[in-house]
Amino acid sequence: MRVCVIGTGYVGLVTGVCLAHIGHHVICVDNNEEKVKLMKAGQSPIFEPGLSELMQSSTAVGLLEFSSDIAEGVKHGDILFIAVGTPPLPTGESDTRYVEAVARGIGANLNDGYKVIVNKSTVPIGSGDWVRMIVMDGIAERQKVLVGAGGVVSEETVEKIAAEFDVVSNPEFLREGSAIFDTFNPDRIVLGSNSQKAIAMMQQLYTPIVERKFAEDKSLPPVPVVVTDLNSAEMIKYAANAFLATKISFINEVANICDRVGADVTQVAKGIGLDSRIGSKFLNAGIGWGGSCFPKDVSALIHTADDYGYEAQLMKAAVSVNQRQRLIAIEKLQQELKILKGKTVGLLGLTFKPDTDDMRDAPALNLIEQLNRLGTKVKAYDPIVSQSGMAHGLSGVYVESDPERLADGCDALVLVTEWAQFQSLDYVKMAKLMNNPVMIDGRNFLDRKELENAGFRYVGIGH
């Protein structure tokens, strides 16, 4: 099928590359010319395991192209994905300016033939009808331009173009760091639309994935496809992220109680996670959730509830617990070192989770800010940030090139991001380089006995 993906951020690029890999002809459009040049050269602008390789192979066989011309993309695609960012505003609601600009651009360039316009961006509930309205506005604006230039565009032509597209909500459920795997092995695919024709085209688009032709385990039954209305599809995305964020905040609250009563939250999580009604995923206590999705989506859902006269108290509590949890590492440092002023603290990891270069709303940023406020010298090492040049954009922290340099002269270390390689560092050597070998394990990720045998005083979260 012929596909256009507009926006090559995290979601858009992964979506376009994976659809090309399963055999569709995809043009990815972005208004950043430098970024387009980079992608045409086979280089991914984001770090995601396996993405560059798939980009290069699909480009080589002619199934994946990149362009900065939205008109070219709209002309090419029978299915047009809107995959631009919807960052949070200070009020908590989503900034939909980029979605609006793309929808208007699609309307201004619609050509003959039926099109399915897909909301892949996480957008507020009700955005499907809103996008349709904006596309119609784009069509009307083009009509005015043509008439003003001496062209003749009848009302029938405008109505015909309007009848030749439908809007579908197709939310993404990708985890940064495993987005390729998640695309080919999804738990479900959600399609929201009132048009059977549009749904049929989307089902055809995803058939290779539904039939698990690219899955890790091809013997599994077909991927469930949830077909619903636009509003429900949009709500599914928000509700899923809000529930997962709440689940993490819940286990963090339990961890804080465990700290006070002498229980071990890792054992508690194991015990309750074996309950089939609860499950073990997202029960890892630590220093809170971050990234580009959970904070933005929970805040947006709270704001939507407020708009319609309802106070989402549970979700507000989940956010409040998470904000407090980010300072747990500071409290534990103060318990171990007492006064932090004049001390040196090293952070192991900076990104909000492993296997990504994403620093958006990362807990590390809060730790750096608070430690600076308390007069602490802050050092950090991150497998991606330390090597990528991203460190130039960080203030208040000295980014080191390797773990040993990080440990040298530190009064304590804090594990912030659970990168796999942090489980096999030379902790004996690192302990000897420190002024005071203390490890605050902010993710309960390291082996307590191994750290203690290496000479560290080990402090976890909730045990």
Side-chain angles (χ1 to χ4, degrees), residues 11-85:
V11 172
L13 186 57
V14 171
T15 299
V17 169
C18 289
L19 288 175
H21 182 70
I22 66 175
H24 301 302
H25 185 185
V26 180
I27 292 181
C28 290
V29 177
D30 199 287
N31 61 4
N32 186 326
E33 302 257 0
E34 291 303 314
K35 194 176 180 184
V36 170
K37 286 179 185 176
L38 186 72
M39 293 185 292
K40 282 183 175 180
Q43 298 180 52
S44 171
I46 59 172
F47 176 80
E48 176 64 34
L51 185 60
S52 292
E53 293 81 355
L54 289 188
M55 274 181 64
Q56 291 160 11
S57 61
S58 296
T59 302
V61 296
L63 288 177
L64 181 62
E65 302 175 49
F66 299 96
S67 174
S68 57
D69 184 358
I70 190 171
E72 178 187 1
V74 171
K75 182 179 180 181
H76 165 83
D78 297 318
I79 298 178
L80 312 174
F81 282 89
I82 300 176
V84 291

Side-chain angles (χ1 to χ4, degrees), residues 150-167:
V152 178
V153 182
S154 67
E155 289 295 327
E156 289 180 20
T157 301
V158 174
E159 289 174 9
K160 180 175 181 295
I161 294 173
E164 291 296 315
F165 78 89
D166 284 303
V167 177

Side-chain angles (χ1 to χ4, degrees), residues 105-122:
I106 289 172
N109 290 284
L110 273 181
N111 51 303
D112 290 342
Y114 179 72
K115 306 279 187 182
V116 176
I117 300 171
V118 184
N119 265 346
K120 198 70 173 173
S121 302
T122 301

Side-chain angles (χ1 to χ4, degrees), residues 215-271:
E216 188 175 75
D217 183 355
K218 295 180 173 59
S219 67
L220 290 172
V223 175
V225 179
V226 179
V227 178
T228 183
D229 59 273
L230 277 166
N231 291 356
S232 297
E234 291 161 354
M235 179 59 91
I236 286 169
K237 168 66 174 179
Y238 281 110
N241 277 352
F243 181 82
L244 294 175
T246 302
K247 194 173 181 182
I248 297 170
S249 286
F250 170 81
I251 200 63
N252 281 336
E253 192 128 81
V254 169
N256 296 340
I257 300 171
C258 285
D259 260 337
R260 287 157 174 80
V261 301
D264 183 344
V265 74
T266 58
Q267 297 301 314
V268 174
K270 182 178 180 181

